[in-house]
Each structure stands twice: as structure tokens, then as C-alpha cells.
């Protein structure tokens, strides 16, 4: 069994992931809107498939970003995650 060394993200990387996460969310919303409008016009056309592929790409990127941020926030020993965790 191999052990994977986990490296904490730098504060700058965390800020960039948080910014990019909102861009991916907007991209998902716009792609979904484009897909819905395209399905009304031409349900089986090439543009419909392209809009669906773009939506899938944005969902995958958003999911990857969310997982990276979740893994970072899960670490209790990381000073960066302690600093960036909202206080209760």
C-alpha cells in the first residue's frame, strides 16, 4: 500500500479556488439556460449536444473545485484552513 503525502494548499490557491468556483457556477447556469433554449428550437441537433457537453464540463470543474476546497477545509492541522474557516 502506498502512502500519499498530502500537501496543504497555499492561501493564494484557496482564494483562487473560491473565485473560480463562482465562475464555474455562473458557467453552469448559463450553459443550462443555453441547453434549455436550444432544446426548444432543435431537440436532437448538434448545438444541443454541444451545449450539453459544455454543461457537463462546467459541472465537472465545479465538482473538482468543491472537492479540493472540502479536502482543504477538513484538515485541522493546517494553519491556512484554520485562518480561512469562518468562525462560529
Amino acid at each position: 500500500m502506498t502512502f500519499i503525502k498530502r500537501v496543504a494548499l497555499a492561501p493564494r490557491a484557496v482564494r483562487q479556488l473560491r473565485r473560480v468556483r463562482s465562475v464555474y457556477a455562473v458557467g453552469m447556469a448559463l450553459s443550462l439556460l443555453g441547453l434549455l433554449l436550444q432544446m426548444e428550437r432543435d431537440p436532437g441537433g448538434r448545438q444541443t449536444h454541444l451545449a450539453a457537453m459544455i454543461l457537463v464540463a462546467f459541472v465537472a470543474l465545479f465538482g473538482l473545485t468543491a472537492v479540493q476546497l472540502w479536502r482543504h477545509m477538513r484538515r485541522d492541522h493546517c494553519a491556512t484552513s484554520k485562518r480561512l474557516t469562518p468562525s462560529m
Side-chain angles (χ1 to χ4, degrees), residues 1 7-8 11 13 16 20 23 32-33 35-36 40 45 59-60 64 68 71 73 75-76 78-79:
M1 175 185 262
V7 179
Q16 287 174 346
V20 166
V23 172
L32 182 61
L33 178 65
L35 179 63
L36 292 175
E40 287 179 4
V59 168
L64 179 66
Q68 285 178 338
R71 287 182 67 201
M73 298 303 278
R75 298 190 183 130
D76 294 332
C78 179

Side-chain angles (χ1 to χ4, degrees), residues 6-51:
R6 298 180 194 254
V7 179
L9 295 172
R12 181 178 179 189
V14 174
R15 284 192 307 271
Q16 287 174 346
L17 281 174
R18 287 185 176 167
R19 284 187 203 124
V20 166
R21 182 177 56 180
S22 64
V23 172
Y24 292 155
V26 169
M28 282 188 322
L30 291 175
S31 298
L32 182 61
L33 178 65
L35 179 63
L36 292 175
L37 291 175
Q38 194 61 36
M39 288 200 51
E40 287 179 4
R41 186 183 300 165
D42 186 19
R46 181 178 287 167
Q47 285 92 5
T48 305
H49 295 298
L50 182 62

